[in-house]
């Protein structure tokens, strides 16, 4: 009995901390833009793949024992850069247009999924070459004063030209250095990250096994929450982020460079997604669809928690994680065994997918009473 | 259409560049034409008041000045340099301190944080983020509640905070949009006195939108707006009862 409850609480908290880690970045970006970044799950997936690559690169070296820490840093940097490119390249044109942002980020999420399926040196070369030619030409031409007028012409000529040159070069190199150059980086199937030795297993308390990997994730989540909290509350950039989140126009009138704040916030949120992806890779194999498994749950956490409130996200993540676990496992069925109809009901919902259904239903019911989430924002929210 | 340039102040030498120059400004909301060929000049160290009935476009004018709204045509010059292509935050850092209608205090930041944000407008951010004592001399109420949330203040306190916040960035031009709107008379007097002291001690220029006659009279020069056009201007000492009747909602 006790061990069952302990196990339930531990598993719930550990599930909740994964959700929280994933939702943390999403919540920050949501507070700023007022829309969900649908590619957040894919940024997590990128973080997981980065972990996989770091693991492979360090295999057999003395650093392998601590590769997970290197992977955390690498995942943060890689996804933060991706997020930065995403913000600069797409999202900044869509501020104040929530629907378009939602669609655009969803499109980006599909692109990222395909990216990990088909990435090879050939693809990387083509994309890099295209960017080099196109933006290089743009950089040279943009210094002429009449660039604005000739912009249409420039795009019409340079896009096909750069694309053709890049694809041709890629194909030539592809035939020259056949297998190595065109070989896909990742198996189409899921890839597995093996936890370092010290993260395998667990220690037993009262008959329950407390897995080290899950404890690691819980500690990581706590560290991230504390870190983000500290960053937002004690640094100049944190203050700027909070100001822009609450009142964009007035922040600009005060002299805050809102564009830089947007870019930085987005990079930070994406970097946190990368950390979450790294954590997720310890729990099971990762594939192109890994992100999709998390986006809905994390979305729920953000909505239930309320916009712009870290405390709300924390409670919501723990509650949803624990509810998911308690309903999905047999814990509640065992607990309510004496009351036959109740235990039958719980038995009906005690599969992973049915548990999700019940949790969603509970969330919808909750939002009927508290549409603003646990901690609704007082005053104004995003003004974009 | 230029009212002021030559005649503004006999005591001012002609070579003195205007701090702010607004030229033939046309602003639209969608298709509705709000500002029509607006011209206006603010000289250094002077206080200029813009008057007009509700909805004539005073706030629109100030928002355009800050870059929140994009004009369809016209030019804006600050200290001789065109700022029309600058973004809002760049304009703030060029020295325009803006106190908007409705104050726009950031609600979930403390008073102290709101004030510290005022430092963003300084070209170089000071290492030490402290609030100078002058600010508290001007607005003593703020000192006692530095750790309260901005959104929890009363309207009058928020107004004082908004002005103090704008001053933190040491602007060259202070822009105030109806700073006494909906505020009890004793606080109105305090705010008036504070603005007067700011001008005396710092010598900055002030552009004020105001409905209180008493406050309007403190300005050196007035502009009167009607349906988006400037229709009258002159020294406030010559504000006639006719003009007051016509342009102030007293
Ligand atoms: N966001 C908006 N969209 C469309 N029209 C607007 C908008 N804001 C203001 N207007 C219109 O522009 C005109 C000028 O508004 P503005 O706020 O500049 O007036 P004001 O002179 O500041 O008035 P008040 O003294 O009441 O503050 C008004 O007729 C108003 O209806
Ligand atoms: Mg107004």
């Amino acid at each position: 009995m006790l061990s069952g409850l302990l196990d339930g609480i531990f598993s719930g908290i550990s599930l909740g901390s994964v959700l929280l880690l994933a939702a943390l970045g999403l919540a920050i970006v949501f507070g700023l833009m007022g829309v969900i970044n649908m590619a957040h799950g894919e940024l997590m997936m990128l973080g997981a793949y980065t972990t996989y690559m770091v693991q492979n690169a360090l295999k057999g070296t003395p650093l392998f024992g601590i590769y997970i820490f290197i992977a955390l840093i690498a995942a943060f940097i890689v996804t933060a850069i991706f997020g930065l490119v995403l913000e600069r390249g797409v999202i900044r044109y869509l501020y104040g247009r929530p629907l378009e942002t939602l669609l655009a980020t969803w499109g980006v999420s599909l692109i990222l999924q395909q990216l990990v399926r088909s990435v090879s040196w050939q693809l990387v070369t083509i994309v890099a070459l295209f960017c080099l030619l196109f933006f290089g030409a743009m950089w040279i031409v943009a210094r002429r004063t009449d660039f604005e007028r000739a912009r249409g012409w420039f795009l019409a000529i340079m896009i096909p030209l750069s694309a053709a040159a890049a694809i041709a070069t890629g194909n030539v190199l592809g035939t020259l250095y056949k297998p190595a150059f065109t070989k896909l980086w990742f198996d189409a199937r899921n890839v597995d990250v093996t936890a370092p030795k010290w993260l395998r297993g667990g220690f037993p308390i009262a008959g329950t096994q407390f897995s080290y990997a899950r404890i690691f994730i819980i500690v990581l989540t706590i560290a991230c929450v504390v870190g983000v909290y500290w960053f937002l509350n004690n640094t100049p950039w944190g203050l700027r982020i909070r100001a822009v989140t609450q009142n964009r126009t007035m922040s600009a009138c005060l002299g805050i460079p809102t564009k830089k704040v947007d870019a930085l916030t987005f990079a930070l949120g994406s970097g946190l997604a990368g950390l979450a992806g790294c954590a997720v890779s310890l729990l099971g194999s990762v594939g192109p669809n890994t992100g999709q498994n998390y986006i809905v749950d994390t979305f729920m956490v953000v909505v239930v928690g309320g916009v712009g409130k870290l405390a709300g996200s924390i409670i919501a993540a723990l509650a949803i994680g624990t509810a998911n676990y308690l309903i999905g496992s047999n814990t509640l069925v065992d607990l309510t065994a004496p009351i036959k109809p109740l235990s039958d009901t719980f038995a009906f919902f005690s599969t992973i997918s049915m548990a999700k259904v019940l949790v969603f239903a509970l969330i919808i019911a909750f939002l009927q009473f508290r549409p603003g989430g646990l901690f609704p924002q007082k005053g104004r929210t995003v003004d974009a | 259409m230029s009212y002021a340039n030559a005649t503004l102040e006999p005591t001012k030498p002609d070579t003195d560049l205007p701090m702010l120059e607004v030229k033939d400004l046309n602003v639209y909301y969608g298709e509705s034409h709000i500002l029509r060929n607006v011209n206006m000049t603010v000289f250094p160290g002077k206080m200029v008041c813009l008057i007009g009935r509700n909805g004539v476009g005073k706030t629109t004018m100030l928002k355009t000045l800050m870059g929140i709204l994009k004009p369809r045509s016209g030019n804006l010059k600050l200290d001789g340099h065109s700022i029309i292509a600058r973004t809002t935050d760049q304009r703030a850092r060029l020295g325009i301190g803006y106190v908007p209608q409705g104050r726009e205090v950031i609600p979930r930041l403390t008073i102290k944080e709101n004030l510290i944000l005022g430092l963003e407008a300084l070209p170089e951010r000071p290492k030490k983020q402290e609030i100078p004592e002058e600010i508290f001399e001007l607005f003593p109420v703020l000192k006692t509640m530095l750790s309260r949330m901005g959104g929890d203040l009363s309207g009058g306190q928020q107004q004082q905070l908004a002005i103090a916040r704008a001053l933190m960035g040491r602007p060259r031009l202070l822009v105030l949009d109806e700073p006494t709107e909906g505020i009890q008379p004793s606080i109105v007097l305090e705010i008036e006195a504070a603005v007067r002291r700011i001008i005396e001690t710092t010598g900055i220029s002030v552009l004020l939108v105001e409905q209180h006659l008493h406050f309007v009279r403190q300005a050196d020069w007035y502009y009167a707006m009607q349906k988006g056009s400037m229709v009258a201007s002159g020294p406030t000492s010559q504000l006639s009862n006719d003009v007051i009747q016509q342009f102030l909602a007293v």
Side-chain angles (χ1 to χ4, degrees):
Chain A
M1 192 65 221
L2 177 69
S3 94
L5 204 64
L6 254 184
D7 186 45
I9 290 171
F10 177 68
S11 303
I13 289 177
S14 97
L15 201 60
S17 61
V18 172
L19 283 183
L20 179 56
L21 199 52
L24 203 55
L26 196 65
I28 293 172
V29 170
F30 185 40
L32 188 82
M33 301 197 303
V35 284
I36 292 287
N37 170 21
M38 295 292 279
H40 192 81
E42 275 60 40
L43 290 169
M44 280 175 71
M45 182 256 311
L46 283 184
Y49 272 93
T50 308
T51 311
Y52 174 73
M53 287 175 75
V54 169
Q55 171 210 262
N56 285 355
L58 293 182
K59 206 166 253 170
T61 67
L63 284 176
F64 188 68
I66 54 157
Y67 88 84
I68 195 74
F69 295 107
I70 296 166
L72 279 172
I73 297 168
F76 185 88
I77 293 172
V78 167
T79 50
I81 289 173
F82 251 92
L84 200 62
V85 172
L86 180 60
E87 202 273 340
R88 293 281 81 189
V90 182
I91 291 175
R92 71 163 154 156
Y93 300 106
L94 301 173
Y95 279 109
R97 283 144 71 185
L99 199 63
E100 280 99 324
T101 314
L102 208 65
L103 281 174
T105 51
W106 185 58
V108 169
S109 81
L110 296 182
I111 293 174
L112 289 179
Q113 280 174 37
Q114 192 55 41
L115 179 74
V116 297
R117 288 199 188 97
S118 49
V119 62
S120 63
W121 281 114
Q122 188 175 25
L123 187 75
V124 171
T125 314
I126 291 176
V127 172
L129 208 58
F130 176 82
C131 290
L132 193 72
L133 289 174
F134 180 72
F135 292 110
M138 184 117 117
W139 183 70
I140 291 166
V141 177
R143 283 187 294 183
R144 293 184 39 179
T145 43
D146 54 352
F147 176 64
E148 282 309 315
R149 262 190 304 133
R151 197 185 180 92
W153 280 108
F154 173 79
L155 294 182
I157 296 172
M158 271 327 277
I159 289 181
L161 211 62
S162 318
I167 292 173
T169 315
N171 285 346
V172 169
L173 286 175
T175 41
L176 280 180
Y177 306 99
K178 186 81 181 160
F181 197 67
T182 50
K183 186 174 168 292
L184 296 181
W185 285 9
F186 305 113
D187 227 305
R189 280 164 295 134
N190 289 358
V191 296
D192 280 301
V193 171
T194 37
K197 208 176 262 145
W198 52 275
L199 276 180
R200 285 176 231 155
F203 66 87
I205 294 180
T208 320
Q209 189 84 350
F210 285 73
S211 134
Y212 289 133
R214 287 184 175 277
I215 293 173
F216 178 75
I217 292 175
I218 294 174
V219 172
L220 178 66
T221 307
I222 293 172
C224 286
V225 171
V226 171
V228 166
Y229 191 82
W230 181 86
F231 175 76
L232 288 180
N233 284 297
N234 292 294
T235 62
W237 280 105
L239 181 60
R240 291 179 195 135
I241 291 177
R242 283 184 294 148
V244 173
T245 303
Q246 293 178 50
N247 191 337
R248 176 176 292 271
T249 311
M250 193 57 220
S251 298
C253 289
L254 288 171
I256 299 175
T258 48
K259 286 182 180 154
K260 273 191 206 153
V261 170
D262 291 337
L264 181 80
T265 313
F266 213 85
L268 175 69
S270 307
L272 286 168
L275 294 184
C278 188
V280 162
S281 70
L282 292 175
L283 295 178
S285 55
V286 285
N289 294 329
T290 299
Q292 305 230 294
N293 302 338
Y294 286 94
I295 187 70
V296 178
D297 282 331
T298 47
F299 177 62
M300 291 297 151
V301 168
V302 174
V303 172
V304 171
V307 186
K309 283 285 179 186
L310 281 185
S313 298
I314 295 171
I315 297 175
L318 293 181
I320 292 178
T322 313
N324 247 327
Y325 182 81
L326 287 182
I327 300 168
S329 69
N330 277 321
T331 320
L332 282 181
V333 184
D334 295 344
L335 280 177
T336 53
I339 315 163
K340 187 83 173 80
L342 212 54
S343 89
D344 281 350
T345 323
F346 282 127
F348 175 71
F349 284 109
S350 72
T351 61
I352 304 265
S353 47
M354 284 317 283
K356 278 226 162 95
V357 172
L358 188 61
V359 170
F360 279 1
L362 289 175
I363 288 172
I364 290 168
F366 170 80
L367 288 178
Q368 298 300 314
F369 295 109
R370 306 283 301 256
L374 284 172
F375 294 98
Q377 186 96 334
K378 280 182 224 129
R380 321 172 45 141
T381 50
V382 218
D383 193 45
Chain B
M1 279 289 284
S2 201
Y3 297 96
N5 295 5
T7 53
L8 179 69
E9 283 294 308
T11 53
K12 282 277 158 199
D14 282 357
T15 51
D16 211 347
L17 270 176
M19 178 53 67
L20 174 72
E21 223 180 334
V22 180
K23 272 237 170 77
D24 292 324
L25 206 62
N26 280 284
V27 181
Y28 291 72
Y29 270 119
E31 278 312 301
S32 54
H33 199 162
I34 306 292
L35 294 187
R36 297 158 190 269
N37 293 318
V38 168
N39 285 281
M40 174 178 228
T41 310
V42 179
F43 279 90
K46 296 290 157 194
M47 176 165 172
V48 170
C49 187
L50 175 60
I51 55 178
R53 300 239 161 198
N54 289 138
V56 296
K58 306 181 296 294
T59 300
T60 307
M61 154 86 216
L62 300 191
K63 282 187 173 169
T64 314
L65 170 61
M66 283 316 291
I68 301 169
L69 297 172
K70 294 263 168 292
R72 202 169 280 186
S73 68
N75 202 358
L76 293 164
K77 278 189 182 167
L78 186 74
D79 215 2
H81 302 283
S82 173
I83 54 167
I84 207 85
R86 302 300 184 114
T87 59
T88 302
D89 55 296
Q90 286 171 334
R91 293 182 197 195
R93 266 173 282 138
L94 282 174
I96 309 181
Y98 179 47
V99 181
Q101 192 170 19
R103 299 130 201 162
E104 311 276 331
V105 161
I106 314 260
R108 306 316 295 164
L109 296 187
T110 63
I111 313 296
K112 183 157 186 215
E113 287 169 330
N114 266 289
L115 286 172
I116 295 288
L117 279 180
L119 295 173
E120 296 285 329
L122 292 176
E124 265 178 49
R125 233 183 127 82
K127 273 272 166 294
K128 270 199 153 172
Q129 299 188 359
E130 275 170 2
I131 299 155
E133 204 51 42
E134 298 100 272
I135 298 285
F136 297 128
E137 280 166 22
L138 284 171
F139 305 107
V141 281
L142 297 179
K143 188 160 195 173
T144 54
M145 36 178 120
L146 281 177
S147 52
R148 292 252 296 270
M149 285 293 165
D152 298 343
L153 295 188
S154 76
Q157 291 163 342
Q158 285 192 6
Q159 189 67 60
Q160 301 186 38
L161 173 58
I163 298 174
R165 182 177 64 178
L167 289 176
M168 292 285 289
R170 300 213 197 91
R172 293 189 274 179
L173 172 68
L174 182 65
V175 178
L176 301 158
D177 196 347
E178 304 207 19
T180 59
E181 187 186 32
I183 288 173
Q184 74 188 53
S186 68
I187 309 279
V188 170
L189 289 180
E190 262 179 51
I191 290 176
E192 260 186 63
V195 171
R196 203 167 45 223
R197 264 188 68 191
I198 294 162
I199 296 172
E200 279 163 9
T201 55
T202 61
I204 61 176
S205 324
V206 175
L207 172 56
L208 172 76
V209 170
E210 190 44 71
Q211 302 276 3
H212 278 82
L213 182 59
H214 188 254
F215 204 171
V216 173
R217 285 210 188 278
Q218 314 250 321
D220 301 296
W221 193 267
Y222 77 88
Y223 283 91
M225 197 181 235
Q226 200 169 48
K227 289 189 195 141
S229 306
M230 291 296 187
V231 289
S233 73
T236 37
S237 50
Q238 291 168 21
L239 255 181
S240 63
N241 281 333
D242 270 4
V243 174
I244 293 168
Q245 282 291 322
Q246 204 180 341
F247 299 111
L248 283 180
V250 272

